[in-house]
Amino acid sequence: ALGDPAWVPWLLARLRLLLQGRKVGLLRSDLMQVDLGQFDVVYAFLSPAIMPGLWQKVRKEMQPGSLLVSNSFEVPGVPAGEVIALHDWRDSRLLLWHF
């Protein structure tokens, strides 16, 4: 729905992928309602309050060799396997967990 602010970053990502000629699937959905086991990479830019529940879900569903990427938000008590500084205006970091 257009009242949901998450459609703006989704649309921008779709446009960037299109302009770059990338063949990447981009799904906009409720992460907690999707079977995450079907994806090689899951990217999340969520509220810190949601991260513990997301962690429980990915631990159950994601397959060996898959990757969870969180933009800026940590999973409490679970250190990321890798952290990439983006050096953007928000001083963002990508936190990566390999399964």
Side-chain angles (χ1 to χ4, degrees):
L2 292 181
D4 177 2
W7 74 270
V8 173
W10 176 85
L11 180 61
L12 292 174
R14 293 280 301 160
L15 290 172
R16 288 180 74 183
L17 290 169
L18 182 66
L19 292 172
Q20 293 174 8
R22 306 246 176 152
K23 295 185 183 215
V24 175
L26 189 62
L27 174 67
R28 181 180 170 270
S29 185
D30 181 344
L31 210 50
M32 300 308 277
Q33 301 300 318
V34 174
D35 174 13
L36 301 179
Q38 63 184 315
F39 302 107
D40 296 324
V41 178
V42 172
Y43 172 85
F45 187 29
L46 302 170
S47 156
I50 296 171
M51 294 306 292
L54 176 62
W55 181 251
Q56 294 303 314
K57 182 173 177 59
V58 299
R59 295 267 307 161
K60 290 178 187 171
E61 297 178 8
M62 292 186 77
Q63 302 298 311
S66 62
L67 176 67
L68 171 64
V69 180
S70 174
N71 186 329
S72 304
F73 301 114
E74 300 178 3
V75 175
V78 184
E82 187 177 349
V83 178
I84 301 170
L86 297 181
H87 308 290
D88 62 359
W89 64 275
R90 290 183 43 249
D91 214 15
S92 303
R93 303 174 302 147
L94 295 180
L95 296 98
L96 287 68
W97 291 268
H98 299 268
F99 291 88

